[in-house]
Amino acid sequence: MERSRILHANWYNHPKYYDIAFQAYTSREADFIEAVCRKYCLFKVSRFLEPACGTGRLIAALAGRGYEMTGFDLSRPALSYLRRQLAKRRLYAETFAAEMSEFRLGRSADSAYCLINTFRHLLTEQAARAHLECIAGSVRPGGIYVLAMNLLPLDVDKREALRWTERRGKIKVTITQRVLRTDLHRRIEDVQVCLMARHGSKELRLRHEFQLRTYTRRQFRRLLASVPSLELCDVYDFRYDIDQPLALNTEIAYGLFVLRRLPS
């Protein structure tokens, strides 16, 4: 096997491997998004928005279920990958490049979603609030926003590295993700992702370091209170059980927050 040196690069610029890494969650996430809209939305949903959509695995999945889809991201390699995947499946979605905290739609979406900690890439309170305000301005009154992320655990020092492997055809992708350090004063985590992809005799080893904003339950509630056009309906965990909502004061590692756009 051709062994490669470790490449220090942005893993979002290798969209095929990134897409494979998260493929196992796609069907359950799409099912949950549909179930949330049936339960909490005040009308039938036909048009979704995904901010920071990346490779668009959920956009493709939901487009395949008959929904009108709009997604945007800053990564042009990811957007190009998404457009190729849609073309292969003879599907369509509106896609464009934009910032999470500064975007505008020509037509309001019925509902929106943002999963796997993407929201935490917004590193300041101002950027996070601006994003939620953009969502409130982009989703119809009565529409739903499903926002998912990790909350800061009570014992910060006991977090362990995450490691998982996914396969697609002859490609095997292994991800190892760990928190290098946490600055509670600045509310910033330094995160390292190591990606190893094997395809036949070829191997890619990639290391990417980036930062995420931290949230306790109280800090997230305070942020939501600063955007009065969005109300918190319920909270769920990684089990995606629509019949088992949780209280926000429950100790959860990964929260799925169901927000609803209020009338103006």
Side-chain angles (χ1 to χ4, degrees), residues 8-228:
H8 293 266
N10 189 325
W11 71 330
Y12 302 115
N13 291 336
H14 295 264
K16 177 190 290 186
Y17 302 137
Y18 181 89
D19 196 65
I20 293 172
F22 290 99
Q23 65 185 2
Y25 304 97
T26 304
S27 180
R28 291 181 66 196
E29 288 170 342
D31 290 346
F32 180 77
I33 290 166
E34 287 187 307
V36 163
C37 289
R38 286 193 297 267
K39 184 173 181 178
Y40 297 98
C41 198
L42 302 182
F43 45 79
K44 183 178 180 181
V45 170
S46 62
R47 181 177 173 85
F48 278 110
L49 165 67
E50 183 177 1
C53 63
T55 59
R57 57 192 177 82
L58 279 166
I59 285 183
L62 290 167
R65 298 183 186 191
Y67 294 96
E68 296 179 54
M69 304 301 301
T70 298
F72 66 85
D73 200 277
L74 277 179
S75 172
R76 296 188 182 276
L79 289 174
S80 295
Y81 176 88
L82 167 57
R83 290 163 185 154
R84 291 195 301 271
Q85 297 307 302
L86 290 170
K88 286 181 182 179
R89 296 175 59 178
R90 298 184 179 180
L91 298 171
Y92 174 78
E94 179 186 357
T95 61
F96 58 94
E99 293 266 6
M100 285 183 72
S101 57
E102 187 177 356
F103 65 91
R104 184 174 300 176
L105 299 187
R107 177 186 170 195
S108 294
D110 293 332
S111 289
Y113 58 87
C114 182
L115 308 184
I116 60 170
N117 277 312
T118 308
F119 175 73
R120 293 176 58 209
H121 283 277
L122 299 168
L123 298 181
T124 68
E125 197 82 354
Q126 293 79 9
R129 185 181 302 111
H131 169 72
L132 293 178
E133 289 171 346
C134 282
I135 288 292
S138 301
V139 172
R140 290 173 56 188
I144 296 301
Y145 184 36
V146 183
L147 178 61
M149 64 177 179
N150 287 92
L151 294 177
L152 200 63
L154 294 177
D155 194 339
V156 175
D157 296 327
K158 286 192 175 180
R159 287 174 298 179
E160 298 179 352
L162 299 176
R163 182 183 175 89
W164 71 95
T165 297
E166 291 290 333
R167 292 173 171 82
R168 183 184 297 171
K170 296 181 179 180
I171 302 176
K172 176 183 176 182
V173 176
T174 299
I175 302 294
T176 304
Q177 180 173 313
R178 58 175 55 89
V179 176
L180 300 177
R181 63 192 66 84
T182 302
D183 186 328
L184 294 178
H185 177 70
R186 295 172 57 231
R187 292 177 57 189
I188 295 294
E189 281 184 345
D190 293 314
V191 180
Q192 181 189 82
V193 167
C194 296
L195 179 152
M196 182 174 68
R198 290 178 177 171
H199 187 183
S201 63
K202 296 182 179 180
E203 180 180 271
L204 169 70
R205 292 174 178 263
L206 180 152
R207 182 174 296 163
H208 179 202
E209 295 184 7
F210 54 91
Q211 293 183 321
L212 297 174
R213 185 164 178 80
T214 65
Y215 287 90
T216 63
R217 295 186 296 271
R218 179 176 297 180
Q219 289 165 342
F220 186 60
R221 273 196 179 278
R222 187 172 62 226
L223 174 64
L224 291 180
S226 72
V227 187

